[in-house]
Amino acid sequence: GQNIDQPTEMTATEGAIVQINCTYQTSGFNGLFWYQQHAGEAPTFLSYNVLDGLEEKGRFSSFLSRSKGYSYLLLKELQMKDSASYLCAVNLLYSGAGSYQLTFGKGTKLSVIP
Amino acid sequence: SAVISQKPSRDICQRGTSLTIQCQVDSQVTMMFWYRQQPGQSLTLIATANQGSEATYESGFVIDKFPISRPNLTFSTLTVSNMSPEDSSIYLCSVVVTGGNYEQYFGPGTRLTVT
């Protein structure tokens, strides 16, 4: 089976930096995604890593190490609106209907406090 | 990017009935997916509904229970058949836009409660 692990909850202070880790053991790998999901809303795309290294996009950065089966999402200058669930998802190599299938972790609920 | 709308946004249904959820996308997309998200849980893929082929269902989901239509590149429906309280969940439509990188977008979801 597929296994994607993330911490269940994290708390951080406004203005600080927080790192959300994700480890995966999957039957295939064709990229890793991070999504943000506010309560009661649909997930929104944050980042996509397919090669090792760091991808930076504004206050958010995502890192991938394929050899270690590891990724993290780094959020800088935290704002109250960053309070949300952050979902790690792996694109499995899928030879069925198409070349794309996401398997999601259970998500990390981040609470930003003043 | 892609903007996705779903109808209905929420519904309360009786056990044994069926509900059809509609998904409309503002651009033509090949890859479309239906997910389920139960309260406090992450997303579980129900099926892949690429235009021009039969829907492909994931383990634990069958066509008789979750029939899907994909008549064109901007529209799909998911029917939840013979509902039971265990089907109470949020159902999300999702598409992939492949201009360069894969970017996956989600609809707002349909919140279904079965009584």
Side-chain angles (χ1 to χ4, degrees):
Chain A
Q2 319 300 340
N3 195 33
I4 301 175
D5 287 321
Q6 307 177 234
T8 304
E9 295 185 37
M10 298 182 71
T11 301
T13 305
E14 190 176 15
I17 299 173
V18 70
Q19 178 174 311
I20 303 174
N21 296 326
C22 171
T23 58
Y24 62 90
Q25 293 174 305
T26 56
S27 59
F29 182 86
N30 197 25
L32 188 142
F33 292 77
W34 283 96
Y35 284 84
Q36 180 190 61
Q37 186 176 27
H38 286 99
E41 298 182 11
T44 55
F45 170 82
L46 289 178
S47 68
Y48 172 55
N49 293 66
V50 64
L51 300 175
D52 286 0
L54 187 68
E55 296 274 346
E56 297 188 74
K57 192 184 290 186
R59 293 190 298 116
F60 293 14
S61 303
S62 57
F63 171 83
L64 175 67
S65 169
R66 295 180 64 150
S67 61
K68 295 181 179 178
Y70 168 68
S71 174
Y72 68 73
L73 180 70
L74 192 71
L75 292 76
K76 304 175 187 175
E77 301 170 15
L78 279 173
Q79 302 175 9
M80 299 299 290
K81 67 178 182 179
D82 297 329
S83 292
S85 287
Y86 291 85
L87 308 175
C88 170
V90 172
N91 182 14
L92 305 178
L93 287 173
Y94 183 57
S95 59
S99 60
Y100 184 94
Q101 179 191 6
L102 284 192
T103 296
F104 283 82
K106 295 189 184 304
T108 299
K109 184 177 180 181
L110 174 66
S111 299
V112 180
I113 58 176
Chain B
S1 67
V3 177
I4 305 170
S5 60
Q6 286 185 232
K7 289 183 185 178
S9 58
R10 59 177 62 226
D11 207 342
I12 301 173
C13 300
Q14 290 193 334
R15 180 196 297 263
T17 63
S18 297
L19 175 73
T20 295
I21 303 167
Q22 298 180 6
C23 175
Q24 181 75 51
V25 189
D26 70 341
S27 57
Q28 294 185 335
V29 292
T30 301
M31 286 187 276
M32 184 177 279
F33 306 88
W34 286 97
Y35 286 84
R36 182 170 75 182
Q37 186 172 29
Q38 294 180 310
Q41 302 295 313
S42 192
L43 291 88
T44 301
L45 181 64
I46 297 172
T48 301
N50 292 343
Q51 202 273 338
S53 61
E54 295 292 319
T56 303
Y57 290 82
E58 298 304 308
S59 176
F61 299 96
V62 295
I63 187 171
D64 290 347
K65 175 69 174 176
F66 297 100
I68 287 170
S69 78
R70 183 78 203 273
N72 57 52
L73 290 172
T74 63
F75 187 78
S76 178
T77 67
L78 170 76
T79 298
V80 186
S81 303
N82 188 25
M83 288 183 283
S84 66
E86 292 72 35
D87 295 321
S88 296
S89 187
I90 299 172
Y91 292 84
L92 297 110
C93 169
S94 179
V95 302
V96 167
V97 176
T98 58
N101 288 327
Y102 286 116
E103 294 194 8
Q104 184 168 3
Y105 298 90
F106 288 83
T110 296
R111 185 179 296 270
L112 172 62
T113 303
V114 184
T115 60

